[in-house]
Amino acid sequence: MTAFRPLKRCRAKPLTPPVPVCALGGAATLGGSPNAGAMTASTNFATPLPSRPVRTYLSAMTPFAHIIALPVRAYRLIFSPWVGFNCRYQPTCSAYAMEALEKHGAIKGSWLAAKRIGRCHPLGGDGYDPVPDPALSKEKNDE
């Protein structure tokens, strides 16, 4: 029988940002005039890129709205890549449905999504069609 040796633990080296061109002698070392394309000393390569927008509907929906949103998520995951971008409206119908469920809850959000899908036909309109704000719809009902 052979004895097992313990594995060596190695530490990963910390990532360092790339060195700016001005620290290497500017554009003169790259061939060209000394001022052509030279970077300033304030160039910072360690600045993080802007992050993606956070999808707020995952946390803001009621539990019933999450259940109602499952078919929409399944459509976006399975069928939407095959169908392609053919929506007449902006935002797309599935994005509209998710936003309506987030803003208005399961019942009214489902009704708004169904109305939007009903408008999506060759003789219907097109263009920008946002989800109405809940405050505006309450004011409209009060009048």
Side-chain angles (χ1 to χ4, degrees):
M1 248 183 164
T2 60
F4 290 103
R5 287 188 289 159
L7 296 175
K8 288 184 181 179
R9 292 184 183 220
C10 60
R11 292 186 183 184
K13 294 181 181 178
L15 296 176
T16 57
V19 179
V21 175
C22 61
L24 298 175
T29 59
L30 299 175
S33 67
N35 295 330
M39 295 181 158
T40 62
S42 65
T43 303
N44 186 3
F45 287 102
T47 305
L49 295 175
S51 61
R52 294 186 320 179
V54 178
R55 296 185 305 185
T56 58
Y57 59 78
L58 293 177
S59 61
M61 280 197 265
T62 62
F64 188 49
H66 276 287
I67 293 170
I68 298 294
L70 287 176
V72 177
R73 288 192 188 123
Y75 167 79
R76 291 179 105 179
L77 182 68
I78 298 169
F79 297 115
S80 184
W82 289 355
V83 174
F85 184 74
N86 295 321
C87 195
R88 303 173 63 83
Y89 291 105
Q90 183 66 24
T92 62
C93 292
S94 59
Y96 184 93
M98 295 300 282
E99 190 176 346
L101 289 169
E102 174 196 348
K103 286 184 176 181
H104 296 281
I107 305 298
K108 187 168 183 183
S110 299
W111 174 247
L112 289 171
K115 281 178 33 178
R116 167 69 178 268
I117 292 170
R119 287 193 308 260
C120 190
H121 55 81
L123 300 177
D126 59 356
Y128 182 64
D129 182 27
V131 177
D133 288 330
L136 294 176
S137 61
K138 286 180 184 176
E139 290 174 5
K140 194 181 222 184
N141 290 340
D142 290 341
E143 290 176 356

